[in-house]
Amino acid sequence: MNYLLLLFPIIIFVILFAGADVAKKGEYTEDAWGLDQAKALRVFAALMVMLHHLVQTISQYGNVDKGPVTIWNSLGILFTSVFFFFSGFGLYKGYRTKPDYLKGFLRRRLLTIYIPFQITNILYLIVFWNSKVKGVGDAITSFFGLTLINSNAWFVVELLLLYIAFFICFRYARSEKTAIICLTGFTVFMVVGSLLLGHYNSPVRHWFRGEWWYNTTLIFILGILVAKYESRVKAFLMKGYRFILPALAVLFVGWYLLEEFILSRFGYYQEWEGHPGYGAKFLSLPFQVILCAIFVFLLLHISLKVRYKNRVLLFLGGISFEIYLIHEMFRELLPGGPGRALPDILYLALVYILSVVAACLLAFVDRKMIDAFVKRKG
């Protein structure tokens, strides 16, 4: 068995916990779920999502045993849920704590997401023109993101839609409660609609076609609710910290085993012509959503005692979005996987290194373009 590949998750855990401060007995981390903590956990999540995708490549989605690291085939949803949680959490916290937060919200929020998305779309079009683009129509829809030549960009599309929905709900609803209900309704509609569409096999990805579009989205609403009741949630977790932490850990492991059993028996791929497999999909979804919720609460609970801080986290925190957007290019370009030229450990290392270097350059260009646009708009 290839235990050497475990170096990659170990290094990612070291990046997160190196230099961390641990609160003394009876004390807790100041601003435990604040912006710096969220950025650290997003870096952790981005690196783990990359590992998930790379393990899918080298193990052919779990069909080839690569040792213990093979389990990362099924862990991607956990780390994606971290992004959704802190997106919802951060939006609500900003709305509650910053005056005139909704003023210029769409321009400010959408700009910081759409410009990196658009720049990477252009890069992917250039690099994969011959292999993925099938005519002018594909080129146009891929350029604007109406179809996804970068399959990982589905997350950006959902964030853009959720940000717009957040703005509309909180800007025009008569009360905050109504706004949250409306936003939840929109999110549920998006999840159910995507589930009903099923899969679509194509070199470019069509919107909402595949379970990755919806199996973690509801964690966005969880983030908003935890932010709304943050003081109560913290008080509850702190009061029973010694008992809740091991209970959450045991619950997470147990529910993960149950979720994997359900997916092996049902899952999202029992569909063929005349049989969309809706029953299996609707059965599998809640088990995954609950697993993601448990995982998020486990991270939140740990963060009450641990303050993440080191220079690597600080550096990667500024480019984590670009790392997420660009790594698929190197994952596909480099000859990794069964029967390919690169050994697994070298393949993974090169994808990480090249993605970080490219993300640095992309982040520089993104910031320049965003700054220029903001100045031009006054």
Side-chain angles (χ1 to χ4, degrees), residues 272-348:
W272 50 86
E273 189 173 350
H275 185 281
Y278 291 148
K281 290 181 174 66
F282 274 112
L283 181 61
S284 302
L285 178 60
F287 283 91
Q288 291 204 302
V289 173
I290 293 171
L291 178 68
C292 291
I294 296 169
F295 180 71
V296 165
F297 275 111
L298 183 59
L299 288 183
L300 293 177
H301 204 54
I302 293 171
S303 298
L304 288 173
K305 280 284 188 180
V306 181
R307 183 171 177 263
Y308 314 106
K309 60 169 190 175
N310 62 63
R311 292 182 178 181
V312 176
L313 275 177
L314 184 63
F315 167 68
L316 294 177
I319 59 172
S320 59
F321 189 50
E322 283 80 7
I323 290 174
Y324 174 82
L325 284 174
I326 200 61
H327 79 270
E328 182 68 18
M329 180 181 295
F330 301 109
R331 177 198 178 200
E332 295 190 35
L333 285 176
L334 294 176
R340 307 293 296 278
L342 287 176
D344 292 337
I345 193 165
L346 181 59
Y347 171 65
L348 267 65

Side-chain angles (χ1 to χ4, degrees), residues 229-276:
Y229 300 105
E230 181 179 4
S231 59
R232 296 184 191 179
V233 175
K234 276 186 177 178
F236 173 78
L237 294 178
M238 289 176 180
K239 186 176 181 180
Y241 191 91
R242 287 187 305 165
F243 305 103
I244 293 175
L245 181 59
L248 279 173
V250 171
L251 180 61
F252 170 69
V253 173
W255 197 270
Y256 169 76
L257 295 174
L258 176 61
E259 177 260 358
E260 288 297 290
F261 171 76
I262 293 296
L263 258 65
S264 67
R265 294 290 300 272
F266 302 97
Y268 298 100
Y269 285 84
Q270 294 191 31
E271 61 178 65
W272 50 86
E273 189 173 350
H275 185 281

Side-chain angles (χ1 to χ4, degrees), residues 92-105:
Y92 185 84
K93 288 276 286 185
Y95 170 76
R96 291 294 295 172
T97 60
K98 297 178 181 178
D100 298 321
Y101 182 69
L102 295 180
K103 186 178 180 180
F105 172 86

Side-chain angles (χ1 to χ4, degrees), residues 110-165:
L110 301 191
L111 190 67
T112 57
I113 295 176
Y114 187 74
I115 284 181
F117 171 70
Q118 189 63 62
I119 291 174
T120 51
N121 264 359
I122 294 170
L123 286 175
Y124 276 79
L125 269 173
I126 294 170
V127 172
F128 296 108
W129 181 268
N130 291 326
S131 59
K132 289 190 175 183
V133 181
K134 308 299 181 183
V136 177
D138 261 1
I140 294 173
T141 56
S142 295
F143 180 84
F144 289 106
L146 299 175
T147 52
L148 301 178
I149 194 167
N150 173 13
S151 59
N152 295 331
W154 68 267
F155 178 75
V156 182
V157 173
E158 282 211 359
L159 272 191
L160 290 170
L161 294 175
L162 289 169
Y163 282 178
I164 293 170

Side-chain angles (χ1 to χ4, degrees), residues 53-103:
H53 291 151
L54 294 173
V55 170
Q56 285 181 326
T57 298
I58 64 174
S59 68
Q60 292 184 342
Y61 295 86
N63 293 314
V64 178
D65 185 15
K66 293 294 180 177
V69 80
T70 309
I71 196 176
W72 258 260
N73 274 285
S74 59
L75 299 185
I77 59 168
L78 302 178
F79 307 110
T80 304
S81 66
V82 173
F83 282 103
F84 273 121
F85 176 84
F86 281 110
S87 295
F89 187 90
L91 286 181
Y92 185 84
K93 288 276 286 185
Y95 170 76
R96 291 294 295 172
T97 60
K98 297 178 181 178
D100 298 321
Y101 182 69
L102 295 180
K103 186 178 180 180

